[in-house]
Amino acid sequence: MEMLRSAARRVVGTKQVTRALKAGKAARAYVANDADTFIFQQVIRAAEDAGVPCIRVETMKELGSVCGVDVPAAAAAVLR
């Protein structure tokens, strides 16, 4: 989580994370365990297809807080 907190370049949100993974721009992905099952599986699958490690975070609230946004976040990624 420290890598995500200190990353100069990152994206937050399922759409942006999925786009970054498909474009080969993501170095590491994060997904919240309490995210909607469809979203959770979508991010995991995209990370596996891209060969990028996907770290699970306990809650969306925690992930949003680490990313510095005031709302819960289902997914985030550190960019290359």
Side-chain angles (χ1 to χ4, degrees):
M1 292 285 283
E2 193 56 42
M3 182 178 183
L4 180 61
R5 185 185 317 270
S6 63
R9 296 187 55 209
R10 65 176 169 232
V11 291
V12 180
T14 307
K15 279 187 179 181
Q16 287 115 330
V17 170
T18 305
R19 278 191 212 130
L21 287 165
K22 288 181 179 179
K25 295 180 179 179
R28 182 170 287 179
Y30 296 82
V31 65
N33 285 331
D34 64 342
D36 179 73
T37 303
F38 176 77
I39 291 171
F40 183 85
Q41 291 175 348
Q42 183 180 18
V43 173
I44 295 285
R45 199 171 308 122
E48 287 173 354
D49 291 346
V52 172
C54 189
I55 290 86
R56 295 178 179 198
V57 179
E58 283 301 313
T59 66
M60 291 174 35
K61 185 175 181 177
E62 179 184 0
L63 187 56
S65 175
V66 168
C67 292
V69 294
D70 294 332
V71 294
V78 174
L79 301 178
R80 298 181 195 271

